[in-house]
């Protein structure tokens, strides 16, 4: 995930993962460095490292950070490396930890760790967000780092000096004239510095509370705002998809994508354009993976579509060395959902490779999205294989061979 192998959580940005977590090795002891989401380090002096279990190492980190018991399930250890050479050990959110459980967390340090990880994913655009959401989230970061907004203080100067600490880089670009306007791609005028300042003014304060006593409230507010993002808490994988054919010669090529998998579904994200290409709940998809000899492994996603008014099945082919790992994670997430309590408000219990019944709508009405939101699917940007159930199109036979 992110070009890495991991377990139980979500890896950090690839640019932070080149560091080794074993700083020195002797005959009997080793200094193990465990990295947190804010890039700080927890050093551990470990006796007999080869015999140490992941559970024991996890417990050692919790003891150093003085975390409560909920951290045992909320966080996991990840081995992260872009090239699988010298992996770093990271303590991050467990992808299998339900969002509804996060709502019950009261410990400020646990909330801070969740906040730092979510913030990092927003600022690096791993979580694509609309400008309005970026401004609201950035305003909470301002509140945490700068304290309550004070009308008489030069807050604008403080924001301008480290704008990229509050907003994703693509919203921090400054420019003048026509080309700057064109780069804005129609974003509203308040986006960026001024929009952030306006949102900072609107951050609500708890009456009679000091700054230190209310940080947990703002950590929680940030995390809860991120809960509205359909890919919050996902594990991320690298892949490529076919581009739609363009031009006289019908040349397409491939587009690099990020595949985000969580307890709720699968999202295919165009990281360069910072928007979702496809988002599917598990009830809405079928899947499989293939690893043909001398060919690149492929994760197949199948979902319902429409072609000129005719219902069709659509196949999206995702090329990735991690295809088998993604397929296994999808299957495991579905199994967890099936075993979850039937009253769970967020994680439903879909069956694998099954379509939703028209007579059984989702238990929770989906949140309305802004028109053109970056979190909405862009099917028109995908190159899919379309077929009908009765096999009128010959491509269905190729798919049938793939799945057998």
């Amino acid at each position: 995930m992110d070009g890495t192998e991991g377990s139980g959580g979500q890896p950090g940005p690839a640019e932070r993962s080149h560091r080794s977590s074993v700083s020195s090795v002797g005959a009997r002891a080793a200094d193990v460095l465990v990295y947190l989401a804010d890039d700080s380090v927890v050093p551990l002096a470990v006796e007999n490292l080869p015999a140490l279990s992941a559970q024991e190492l996890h417990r050692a980190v919790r003891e150093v950070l003085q975390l409560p018991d909920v951290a045992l399930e909320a966080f996991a250890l990840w081995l992260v490396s872009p090239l699988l050479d010298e992996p770093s050990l990271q303590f991050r959110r467990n992808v299998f930890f339900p969002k509804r459980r996060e709502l019950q967390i009261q410990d400020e340090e646990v909330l801070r760790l969740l906040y730092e990880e979510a913030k990092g994913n927003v600022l690096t655009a791993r979580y694509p967000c609309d400008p309005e959401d970026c401004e609201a989230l950035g305003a909470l970061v301002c509140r945490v780092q700068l304290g309550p907004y004070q009308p008489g203080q030069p807050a604008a100067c403080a924001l301008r000096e480290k704008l990229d600490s509050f907003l994703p880089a693509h919203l921090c670009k400054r420019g003048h004239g026509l080309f700057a306007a064109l780069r804005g791609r129609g974003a509203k005028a308040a986006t960026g510095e001024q929009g952030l300042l306006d949102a900072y003014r609107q951050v609500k304060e708890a009456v009679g509370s000091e700054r230190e006593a209310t940080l947990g409230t703002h950590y929680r507010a940030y995390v809860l705002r991120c809960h509205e993002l359909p890919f919050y808490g996902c594990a991320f994988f690298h892949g490529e998809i076919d581009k739609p054919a363009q031009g006289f010669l019908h040349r397409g090529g491939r587009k690099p994508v990020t595949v985000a998998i969580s307890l709720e579904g699968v999202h295919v994200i165009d990281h360069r354009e910072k928007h979702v290409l496809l988002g599917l709940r598990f009830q809405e998809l079928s899947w499989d993976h293939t690893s043909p000899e001398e060919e690149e492994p492929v994760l197949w996603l199948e979902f319902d579509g429409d072609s000129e008014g005719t219902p069709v099945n659509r196949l999206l082919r995702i090329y990735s060395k991690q295809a088998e790992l993604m397929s296994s994670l999808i299957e495991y997430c579905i199994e967890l959902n099936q075993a979850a309590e039937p009253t769970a408000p967020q994680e439903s219990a879909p069956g694998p490779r099954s379509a939703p019944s028209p007579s059984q709508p989702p238990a929770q009405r989906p949140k309305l999205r802004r028109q053109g939101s970056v979190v909405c699917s862009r099917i028109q940007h995908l190159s899919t294989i379309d077929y009908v159930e009765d096999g009128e199109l010959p491509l269905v036979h190729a798919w049938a061979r793939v799945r057998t």
Side-chain angles (χ1 to χ4, degrees), residues 250-282:
H250 303 287
R251 292 179 177 175
R254 292 186 183 179
K255 175 193 292 289
V257 295
T258 299
V259 182
I261 302 175
S262 73
L263 287 172
E264 298 181 358
V266 180
H267 286 78
V268 180
I269 299 172
D270 186 330
H271 188 68
R272 174 175 294 180
E273 298 297 330
K274 300 172 181 59
H275 61 217
V276 171
L277 294 170
L278 179 66
L280 297 169
R281 294 167 61 89
F282 290 128

Side-chain angles (χ1 to χ4, degrees), residues 141-388:
V141 180
C142 291
R143 172 59 184 85
V144 169
Q145 296 186 9
L146 305 177
Y149 176 78
Q150 301 292 341
Q153 295 181 357
C157 295
L159 298 186
R160 187 177 301 113
E161 290 174 357
K162 49 181 181 178
L163 196 58
D164 58 357
S165 297
F166 310 120
L167 294 175
H170 66 283
L171 295 181
C172 298
K173 295 178 180 179
R174 299 185 181 92
H176 303 280
L178 176 62
F179 292 106
L182 292 176
R183 283 197 299 268
R185 298 185 180 182
K188 68 176 188 176
T191 295
E193 184 179 325
Q194 185 59 48
L196 176 63
L197 184 59
D198 293 340
Y200 184 22
R201 292 192 186 103
Q202 298 172 16
V203 174
K204 296 181 179 179
E205 297 294 333
V207 178
S209 298
E210 297 296 331
R211 175 177 180 271
E212 292 77 12
T214 60
L215 284 180
T217 300
H218 300 299
Y219 295 150
R220 177 188 296 276
Y222 193 100
V223 171
L224 293 184
R225 183 76 182 232
C226 288
H227 278 195
E228 299 177 7
L229 302 173
F231 31 75
Y232 173 78
C234 285
F236 293 95
F237 303 83
H238 286 312
E240 292 182 329
I241 61 174
D242 295 314
K243 293 181 179 179
Q246 297 178 349
F248 178 75
L249 298 178
H250 303 287
R251 292 179 177 175
R254 292 186 183 179
K255 175 193 292 289
V257 295
T258 299
V259 182
I261 302 175
S262 73
L263 287 172
E264 298 181 358
V266 180
H267 286 78
V268 180
I269 299 172
D270 186 330
H271 188 68
R272 174 175 294 180
E273 298 297 330
K274 300 172 181 59
H275 61 217
V276 171
L277 294 170
L278 179 66
L280 297 169
R281 294 167 61 89
F282 290 128
Q283 301 98 318
E284 301 170 327
L285 65 85
S286 301
W287 87 98
D288 207 341
H289 80 278
T290 57
S291 300
E293 293 185 5
E294 300 182 358
E295 293 185 26
E296 197 168 355
V298 172
L299 175 72
W300 299 86
L301 298 181
E302 181 180 12
F303 55 98
D304 293 337
D306 180 273
S307 178
E308 298 180 352
T310 301
V312 297
N313 286 22
R314 285 185 161 168
L315 303 175
L316 178 64
R317 177 166 40 197
I318 303 174
Y319 306 92
S320 175
K321 295 180 180 179
Q322 298 172 311
E324 184 175 1
L325 184 59
M326 288 189 279
S327 178
S328 298
L329 181 57
I330 291 173
E331 183 170 5
Y332 188 63
C333 286
I334 290 176
E335 291 176 353
L336 288 180
N337 285 333
Q338 290 175 327
E341 301 82 4
T343 57
Q346 295 288 338
E347 287 73 33
S348 55
R353 298 174 171 84
S354 62
S357 170
S359 61
Q360 296 178 348
Q364 183 176 359
R365 183 177 180 179
K367 179 180 177 62
L368 295 177
R369 298 294 179 191
R370 305 179 185 94
Q371 186 175 4
S373 170
V374 297
V375 302
C376 292
S377 294
R378 287 163 171 76
I379 306 297
Q380 71 275 16
H381 293 176
L382 297 176
S383 176
T384 60
I385 302 172
D386 296 352
Y387 72 91
V388 293

Side-chain angles (χ1 to χ4, degrees), residues 4-85:
T4 70
E5 299 291 341
S7 174
Q10 177 178 304
E15 61 270 18
R16 296 180 178 179
S17 60
H18 66 279
R19 309 154 302 188
S20 173
S21 276
V22 179
S23 60
S24 63
V25 179
R28 301 179 58 186
D31 294 331
V32 178
L33 306 179
V34 181
Y35 294 88
L36 304 181
D38 60 359
D39 218 22
S40 61
V41 179
V42 178
L44 300 174
V46 178
E47 296 288 340
N48 195 12
L49 180 59
L52 191 69
S53 68
Q55 290 80 4
E56 292 171 325
L57 195 57
H58 195 284
R59 182 174 64 249
V61 175
R62 299 197 315 271
E63 290 176 352
V64 171
L65 298 177
Q66 298 182 339
L67 299 178
D69 292 342
V70 69
L72 176 62
E73 298 179 71
F75 299 99
L77 292 172
W78 282 90
L79 284 175
V80 180
S81 173
L83 300 175
L84 297 181
D85 41 14

